[in-house]
């Protein structure tokens, strides 16, 4: 009994220490967003000596926040919509329907989790150039949707598998066709898992830099990470403005997670149990 308490105490202490270490860079970013250029170059304390909103105001203007925000929002929304539509249907088929090669195809999708995304960057760029979509938002959305396939199929298939099959049989007995069963029975019951998938898709899409940097050359199509990069392009970067821009970019992600936290946790637990 005493030994288990000691183990729990050590584990909690280690997790708390890890949380503080992980949080420290965010606190520096938050602090730097309210410092002047001179103060942040001097280093010093984590808490600003003379907090100011001027840095955030100046960064808001230089970053063209609304233009880049709308571009990021468009790419993220299109990606999330594509993922939910395509892979909810695919996962329903894997979880419920019986067809030749179902298990082989499912595990093929899951095995793609072990393929580093950077290894397919060049083929993706060449393919997009041949298709004529390189440099457009569509050229970002399609690879993003494709890249989420392994984890999304795994989560949604497990989530759908956890729904009692008796509900499907009852709906079929009432005369419902397969798509009606999917739409009216399975999707509502899998809402936490769908929200989990949406969050896990939206966050990396919002923050994506590598493919965006390679694909986009038109500044009018830039997303927020590329807007942040523009603040570092000068001879002497204004690091306080970089911190402020980083804060502006991360606020929507934090807000999304806090808003959907309950569904996210429930969906993740349900998918793992399924």
């Amino acid at each position: 009994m005493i030994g288990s308490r000691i183990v729990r105490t050590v584990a909690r202490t280690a997790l708390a220490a890890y949380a503080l270490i992980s949080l420290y860079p965010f606190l520096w970013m938050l602090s730097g967003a309210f410092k002047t250029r001179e103060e942040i170059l001097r280093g010093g304390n984590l808490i600003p000596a003379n907090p100011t909103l001027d840095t955030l105001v100046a960064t808001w203007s230089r970053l063209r926040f609304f233009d880049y925000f709308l571009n990021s929002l468009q790419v993220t929304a299109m990606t999330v919509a594509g993922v939910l539509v395509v892979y909810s249907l695919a996962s329903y088929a894997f979880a419920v329907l019986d067809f030749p090669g179902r298990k082989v195809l499912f595990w093929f999708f899951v095995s793609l989790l072990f393929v580093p995304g950077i290894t397919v960057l060049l083929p993706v760029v060449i393919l997009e150039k041949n298709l004529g979509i390189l440099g457009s938002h569509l050229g970002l959305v399609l690879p993003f949707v494709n890249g989420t396939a392994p984890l999304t199929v795994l989560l949604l298939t497990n989530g759908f598998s956890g729904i009692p099959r008796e509900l499907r049989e009852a709906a079929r007995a009432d005369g419902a066709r397969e798509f009606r069963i999917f739409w009216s029975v399975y999707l509502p019951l899998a809402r936490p898992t769908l929200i989990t998938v949406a969050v896990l898709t939206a966050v990396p899409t919002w923050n994506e830099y590598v493919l965006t940097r390679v694909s986009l050359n038109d500044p009018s199509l830039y997303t927020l990470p590329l807007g942040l990069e523009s603040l570092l392009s000068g001879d002497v970067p204004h690091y306080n403005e970089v911190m402020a821009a980083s804060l502006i970019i991360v606020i929507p992600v934090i807000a999304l997670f806090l808003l959907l936290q309950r569904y996210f946790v429930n969906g993740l637990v349900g998918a793992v149990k399924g």
Side-chain angles (χ1 to χ4, degrees), residues 39-136:
E39 183 179 358
I40 201 169
L41 288 176
R42 287 198 306 267
N45 298 324
L46 181 64
I47 300 175
N50 299 298
T52 177
L53 292 174
D54 292 342
T55 301
L56 281 169
V57 172
T59 305
W60 188 290
S61 176
R62 286 190 60 190
L63 189 60
R64 294 171 55 193
F65 177 78
F66 282 110
D67 293 339
Y68 298 145
F69 175 83
L70 291 177
N71 288 337
S72 289
L73 185 62
Q74 179 183 6
V75 171
T76 302
M78 292 172 63
T79 301
V80 171
V83 166
L84 293 180
V85 170
V86 173
Y87 297 124
S88 62
L89 290 167
S91 299
Y92 176 79
F94 284 131
V96 175
L97 304 183
D98 188 15
F99 57 90
R102 178 171 62 95
K103 290 185 178 181
V104 174
L105 190 57
F106 171 75
W107 287 113
F108 171 76
F109 270 102
V110 174
S111 68
L112 295 178
L113 278 169
F114 302 99
V115 179
I118 195 66
T119 60
V120 298
L121 178 61
L122 182 59
V124 166
V125 172
I126 295 174
L127 178 61
E128 289 188 357
K129 184 177 180 181
N130 293 335
L131 293 174
I133 60 174
L134 185 64
S136 67

Side-chain angles (χ1 to χ4, degrees), residues 4 25 63 65 73 90 123 130 134 185-186 223 227 232 254 257:
S4 62
L63 189 60
F65 177 78
L73 185 62
N130 293 335
L134 185 64
V185 178
Y186 275 75
T223 56
L232 295 168
I254 296 175
F257 179 78

Side-chain angles (χ1 to χ4, degrees), residues 65 69 206 224 247-257:
F65 177 78
F69 175 83
W206 184 269
L224 283 169
L247 180 61
I248 291 173
I249 292 173
V250 80
I251 283 176
V253 175
I254 296 175
L256 177 67
F257 179 78

